Amino acid sequence: GAGGLAVPGVVFLMDLLGFRTFFVLAGVGILIIGGITSYFLRDRPEQMGLVPDGELPDNLVTTELSMQEKGSLSFRQALNDRVFWLVTYITTASTISVMMTATHVMPYLESVGYGRYIASIVAMMIPVASIAGRLGIGWLSDLMSRRTAFLLSTLGQAAGVAFFVFAGVSPAFIIPFVIFFSIS
């Protein structure tokens, strides 16, 4: 989410240096930063006092039966479950909506009359405001059923997209778009 703060700077540098030059410099920067940070990665959980995925620490005992008692489904049972497919469809539609909106927010706002700088500020605010949503929806799902939190989040995202569509009519729709879409 904090990466969204870079959007206005990226837009400025692309305008200043040009698309190709900016991406070559960004690629070199990413390789340098990635190379340095990879030095700090650990490839064995034991180096951090942890155990590999799938293995249990010696002091934690659980059984296959205790996991089944919690209501988990086998892969085959999940594929035959109507709720699984409904959640899969909703999540897929939500992901497509987020990607489509994030990809086209600046071109759309520019096409309906907003300046490039204002469009970049709106594009910046989406991931930055999403931090509140990531924390808030998680907190909310602890207070109420996860189904209700999921439903509220999905409806909020749909409301945000509706506000986005009408952003060309009035600038008053941009703020509710950022709030509903980002938090949801």
Side-chain angles (χ1 to χ4, degrees):
L5 294 170
V7 173
V10 167
V11 170
F12 173 77
L13 289 173
M14 283 177 56
D15 289 343
L16 181 69
L17 302 173
F19 181 83
R20 287 190 174 110
T21 304
F22 169 75
F23 272 93
V24 167
L25 292 175
V28 169
I30 290 168
L31 286 173
I32 291 169
I33 292 170
I36 292 170
T37 56
S38 69
Y39 176 76
F40 297 100
L41 295 177
R42 304 289 179 253
D43 62 346
R44 294 176 181 248
E46 294 86 3
Q47 294 173 335
M48 304 297 294
L50 303 171
V51 295
D53 289 343
E55 292 184 19
L56 299 174
D58 295 334
N59 61 352
L60 180 64
V61 178
T62 186
T63 64
E64 187 74 27
L65 180 62
S66 68
M67 293 191 64
Q68 289 177 352
E69 289 171 358
K70 292 182 181 179
S72 62
L73 300 175
S74 71
F75 180 70
R76 185 175 299 267
Q77 289 170 323
L79 289 178
N80 291 326
D81 188 18
R82 182 180 61 84
V83 174
F84 168 79
W85 289 109
L86 183 63
V87 170
T88 299
Y89 172 75
I90 291 169
T91 304
T92 301
S94 172
T95 302
I96 290 169
S97 169
V98 168
M99 293 298 113
M100 180 238 6
T101 305
T103 300
H104 295 97
V105 66
M106 286 187 59
Y108 174 71
L109 291 175
E110 288 180 60
S111 76
V112 295
Y114 293 94
R116 187 166 169 85
Y117 181 72
I118 295 297
S120 73
I121 295 296
V122 173
M124 173 191 75
M125 289 308 300
I126 293 171
V128 170
S130 77
I131 295 169
R134 295 172 202 208
L135 299 173
I137 297 294
W139 172 76
L140 192 63
S141 69
D142 288 339
L143 296 178
M144 61 176 54
S145 83
R146 283 160 177 66
R147 290 179 181 175
T148 305
F150 181 68
L151 176 66
L152 290 174
S153 179
T154 303
L155 291 174
Q157 185 180 7
V161 170
F163 285 122
F164 181 59
V165 169
F166 292 107
V169 176
S170 170
F173 289 106
I174 291 179
I175 292 172
F177 154 66
V178 170
I179 291 170
F180 279 96
F181 186 76
S182 300
I183 291 176
S184 298

